[in-house]
Amino acid sequence: MTTATLATPRHRRRFRFGTFMVYVVMIIITLFWITPTVGLLVSSFRPADDVKTSGWWTVVTNPEKARFTLDNYRTVLGLPVAGRAAPTGGSRVGMEVALINTLTVALPATIIPILIAAFAAYGFAWIDFPGRRALFILVVAMLVVPLQISLVPILRDYVALQLGGTYLGVWLAHTGFGLPLAVYLLYNYISTIPRDIFESAFLDGATHFTIFTRLILPLSTPALASFAIFQFLWTWNDLLVALVFLGAEPRVQVVTQRLLSLLGQFGQEWHLLTSGAFISMIVPLIVFFSLQRFFVRGLMAGSVKG
């Protein structure tokens, strides 16, 4: 007697009810999760006076009095607003400049640690050398070290080396802070690749570098994409490292610093944060949805063998 013949109508009804409840709970959690984001989106299109005097939900409860405008986005991007002259000089917000600066920081700060960590993970996984285990434990132990305790020593070295306020300094800082996680994640994936592949390659006369470039990198695409998402989102949303090592000059400010400056001296311009936040979300969303098909595969790296 098979399992299918044992499934009674009562069991089937119970299974369907359980599945239905799972979907209901998921929908409720999703609604709670996206409600703040919807509120920010609605507020970003409301006039400043409406944002400061009423909640975003009044657009739903009292739609006949709802007003929408693009003035918040025009102000954030430094474009002319009806009834006001376009901001000039130091008063110009210039979010587009901050976006370019953030890309200048985030792209190299994502690519550099991936390349270094991939080489290191391959060495820890498949090259036998003295002290390999101890060195790997030391690298992984760096995951528990808060980056805040290293800011002052690194800043002192940067001042001596004249790297303060430069993009190179920020790239090196993000690389150092991101390497432990990158090495650990990629090691878990690379170490699960069947040994037979390497033995066949060595028999054909391939070197370690050839194996790494021709076999490891293509096979490790899910893990590389997974870490790339984490590292890019971290560097894109970073404020502390950029503020410490890059400085607060308008010409080098990143998105997070520019969003902070949108508040104004006394926080009276906080309504501009809603539109500025959605502008800053465009690039991370593009990156995530472009690589999301590798995301789950990368997170599962090393969890099963075979």
Side-chain angles (χ1 to χ4, degrees):
M1 185 177 296
T2 63
T3 305
T5 59
L6 293 176
T8 63
R10 179 182 298 178
H11 291 158
R12 287 195 294 267
R13 287 195 299 268
R14 186 177 302 171
F15 175 77
R16 291 173 183 173
F17 178 76
T19 304
F20 173 76
M21 290 304 299
V22 169
Y23 282 111
V24 170
V25 173
M26 290 177 59
I27 292 173
I28 293 175
I29 294 176
T30 302
L31 290 176
F32 275 110
W33 187 267
I34 67 173
T35 296
T37 305
V38 173
L40 287 176
L41 179 62
V42 173
S43 298
S44 68
F45 290 101
R46 302 180 71 204
D49 295 337
D50 293 355
V51 172
K52 295 177 181 178
T53 57
S54 62
W56 64 269
W57 52 87
T58 57
V59 174
V60 180
T61 60
N62 199 5
E64 62 275 5
K65 295 184 178 180
R67 296 188 300 167
F68 298 98
T69 180
L70 293 175
D71 288 349
N72 293 337
Y73 287 93
R74 292 192 182 101
T75 303
V76 169
L77 294 174
L79 301 176
V81 178
R84 289 185 297 174
T88 58
S91 62
R92 188 176 186 273
V93 176
M95 180 62 76
E96 72 283 356
V97 177
L99 289 172
I100 296 174
N101 292 339
T102 310
L103 282 174
T104 305
V105 171
L107 290 179
T110 301
I111 297 173
I112 295 174
I114 286 179
L115 294 177
I116 298 176
F119 277 105
Y122 173 74
F124 284 130
W126 295 107
I127 300 178
D128 189 14
F129 58 90
R132 180 179 65 171
R133 182 177 295 274
L135 186 58
F136 179 72
I137 293 175
L138 179 63
V139 171
V140 175
M142 294 296 102
L143 287 171
V144 302
V145 178
L147 67 89
Q148 289 83 358
I149 68 175
S150 62
L151 294 179
V152 174
I154 294 177
L155 185 59
R156 289 176 179 173
D157 293 337
Y158 277 11
V159 172
L161 297 173
Q162 297 183 352
L163 289 176
T166 64
Y167 289 118
L168 177 60
V170 180
W171 296 341
L172 295 177
H174 279 303
T175 298
F177 296 143
L179 272 178
L181 176 62
V183 172
Y184 178 71
L185 179 64
L186 296 178
Y187 170 84
N188 285 341
Y189 192 91
I190 293 175
S191 62
T192 61
I193 297 176
R195 181 179 294 272
D196 296 342
I197 297 178
F198 297 93
E199 294 177 351
S200 300
F202 282 128
L203 290 176
D204 291 336
T207 62
H208 281 294
F209 183 79
T210 302
I211 294 174
F212 177 80
T213 55
R214 301 273 183 96
L215 294 176
I216 298 301
L217 288 182
L219 292 174
S220 303
T221 299
L224 295 173
S226 179
F227 174 74
I229 293 176
F230 280 123
Q231 182 72 2
F232 183 86
L233 294 182
W234 178 46
T235 54
W236 183 272
N237 295 318
D238 170 71
L239 173 62
L240 180 61
V241 175
L243 190 62
V244 172
F245 297 124
L246 197 57
E249 295 185 14
R251 63 181 182 83
V252 296
Q253 280 187 344
V254 295
V255 166
T256 50
Q257 293 174 285
R258 192 54 56 90
L259 287 176
L260 183 62
S261 66
L262 291 178
L263 281 172
Q265 185 176 1
F266 301 103
Q268 74 277 10
E269 302 293 339
W270 66 268
H271 62 281
L272 296 177
L273 289 179
T274 56
S275 54
F278 273 93
I279 292 176
S280 67
M281 287 167 55
I282 295 175
V283 176
L285 287 176
I286 293 174
V287 171
F288 179 80
F289 286 113
S290 299
L291 301 178
Q292 60 88 24
R293 64 194 181 98
F294 299 110
F295 188 66
V296 175
R297 294 166 57 190
L299 290 179
M300 296 295 291
S303 61
V304 294
K305 290 182 178 289

